[in-house]
Amino acid sequence: SFAASEDGMRARFDVANSSGELGKRKINLTVADDAGDPARNVTVAQQLVEQNNVFGIIENSLAADASAKYLNQKGVPVTGWHLGLASFGKYPNMFGWRNSQPPNPATTFTNRDVLVLKMLGSTKIALVGANTSNSSTFINQIARAIKATEPSMKVVYQTTDVPITQRDFTAEAQKIKDSGADGLYTGMDFLQNVALSAALKQDSYSVKGTVYPGGYDSRVTSLPGIDGTYFGLEVKPFEENPPAYLAYKAAMQKAGKFYQGEIPYIGWLSADTFIEGIKAAGASCPTRKAFINNLRLVKGWTANGAFSPIDFSEIFGRPFYCTYYVQVQHGAFVPVFGG
């Protein structure tokens, strides 16, 4: 699901290299695919560091926790998408481009997701997650928050047993229908989310509020069962044309790679954060140690207006409290909740 993030990374580095943004320094991107497998994640991290001699790593992988300890011990700076992984809030060399995670995410939660479901009028909630640690943690966090903060709600169906390769959700759709759920929140990627929506549509079952934490992509807006669905975003919606998105769009169009999708944009933001680390370390003679120490001190980071300002020291080891939301309305994304 995250393969397209490479296109965004390359586009951001092309801009930096062609504009002289880092002075005489040029960034070369070497790519290794871990296929989402923890064992392979360790292998490719070791390959990049010990054979390819990379200065740092940009990582958008559900398996990033596997190599995190090794990369921290080696003092290798890492930027990327936290994806709910504890390593981004545990190891100081790891920087989510906007958000971190608590080192103990299984016992830490906010009531953000509960408030959204409440605003949508849902009281009987179905929670569907994949059988990965971060997805299970996310779903369990929502269940815990419902129980602790909202007595008017009840979780009527919950699973975190969905294999990440599953594409047929007929059984899950039937169980959601049988439970009488009027609200749905998932912890899956966009391929699985749209498959679940299609299964519910096929079963002629709808709920008051369906919220997906990912899948903000123009290619999904016309798919079966998606109309009316809400999507949580960690960035300002594209529809508001923030400056970061406009710069990304122009670069991607130049490269012939543009489409309105969350994943390549996250690749762009992850690369943008890496470039900021180089600048913080001193582009003329950066060191890994200076990258890690100095980027952690950066305040008011917005990645060129992609989101509200954050301080890298303040977000480290904490859950993120704020999310933007859009709803699919008549085949288009519409920002909701006043931003």
Side-chain angles (χ1 to χ4, degrees):
S1 298
F2 307 128
S5 63
E6 180 187 339
D7 293 334
M9 294 176 200
R10 289 195 181 278
R12 181 64 183 92
F13 286 156
D14 285 347
V15 169
N17 290 341
S18 63
S19 67
E21 187 174 351
L22 297 176
K24 296 181 180 180
R25 295 279 179 182
K26 304 290 184 183
I27 296 181
N28 296 315
L29 182 64
T30 300
V31 178
D33 181 12
D34 70 3
D37 177 68
R40 190 168 170 179
N41 179 264
V42 175
T43 299
V44 299
Q46 292 171 337
Q47 170 196 317
L48 290 170
V49 173
E50 298 171 20
Q51 297 178 31
N52 300 111
N53 299 312
V54 299
F55 176 85
I57 287 180
I58 302 175
E59 192 161 24
N60 286 337
S61 170
L62 290 170
D65 273 349
S67 63
K69 183 177 180 180
Y70 164 78
L71 293 172
N72 180 63
Q73 289 173 338
K74 290 290 185 179
V76 178
V78 179
T79 67
W81 198 8
H82 67 85
L83 289 167
L85 299 169
S87 55
F88 279 91
K90 180 178 181 180
Y91 298 111
N93 65 312
M94 300 188 69
F95 297 83
W97 47 262
R98 174 196 162 189
N99 290 320
S100 175
Q101 277 290 305
N104 56 339
T107 58
T108 309
F109 60 86
T110 73
N111 67 338
R112 180 189 68 247
D113 306 307
V114 180
L115 290 174
V116 171
L117 290 168
K118 186 176 182 179
M119 291 171 71
L120 300 180
S122 301
T123 57
K124 293 178 288 184
I125 312 302
L127 301 173
V128 182
N131 61 353
T132 60
S133 61
N134 62 327
S135 180
S136 298
T137 295
F138 179 67
I139 290 300
N140 290 333
Q141 283 176 326
I142 298 175
R144 191 178 294 109
I146 289 173
K147 184 176 181 179
T149 68
E150 193 48 61
S152 66
M153 286 186 185
K154 182 180 180 181
V155 176
V156 294
Y157 175 68
Q158 179 176 347
T159 181
T160 55
D161 294 329
V162 177
I164 60 174
T165 55
Q166 181 175 323
R167 296 294 180 265
D168 183 350
F169 283 83
T170 304
E172 285 77 12
Q174 185 61 52
K175 290 176 182 177
I176 291 170
K177 183 177 181 179
D178 292 344
S179 74
D182 59 10
L184 170 64
Y185 216 126
T186 78
M188 303 183 295
D189 68 20
F190 79 97
L191 293 175
Q192 294 190 307
N193 289 336
V194 297
L196 176 58
S197 288
L200 288 167
K201 178 75 171 180
Q202 181 68 27
D203 221 8
S204 300
Y205 193 73
S206 60
V207 298
K208 292 180 180 178
T210 297
V211 187
Y212 293 151
Y216 181 46
D217 188 310
S218 59
R219 296 173 297 180
V220 309
T221 55
S222 60
L223 295 178
I226 291 294
D227 202 66
T229 299
Y230 293 80
F231 290 80
L233 320 174
E234 294 179 46
V235 294
K236 293 179 180 177
F238 300 151
E239 290 73 20
E240 296 180 358
N241 289 314
Y245 175 68
L246 295 177
Y248 155 82
K249 182 178 180 180
M252 292 289 279
Q253 286 177 331
K254 183 178 180 180
K257 296 281 189 177
F258 175 73
Y259 67 92
Q260 193 174 9
E262 175 183 41
I263 300 302
Y265 187 47
I266 285 167
W268 170 280
L269 296 174
S270 300
D272 194 53
T273 307
F274 192 89
I275 291 170
E276 182 67 15
I278 295 290
K279 292 177 180 177
S284 62
C285 189
T287 65
R288 288 172 170 173
K289 184 176 180 180
F291 182 115
I292 295 167
N293 291 344
N294 295 353
L295 183 57
R296 187 62 65 190
L297 299 176
V298 169
K299 301 179 184 295
W301 174 245
T302 69
N304 191 24
F307 41 82
S308 299
I310 61 99
D311 294 358
F312 278 112
S313 59
E314 289 187 2
I315 65 167
F316 184 62
R318 300 184 182 183
F320 61 96
Y321 302 100
C322 299
T323 301
Y324 306 90
Y325 289 89
V326 294
Q327 184 188 27
V328 178
Q329 298 179 12
H330 309 294
F333 288 114
V334 177
V336 292
F337 305 139

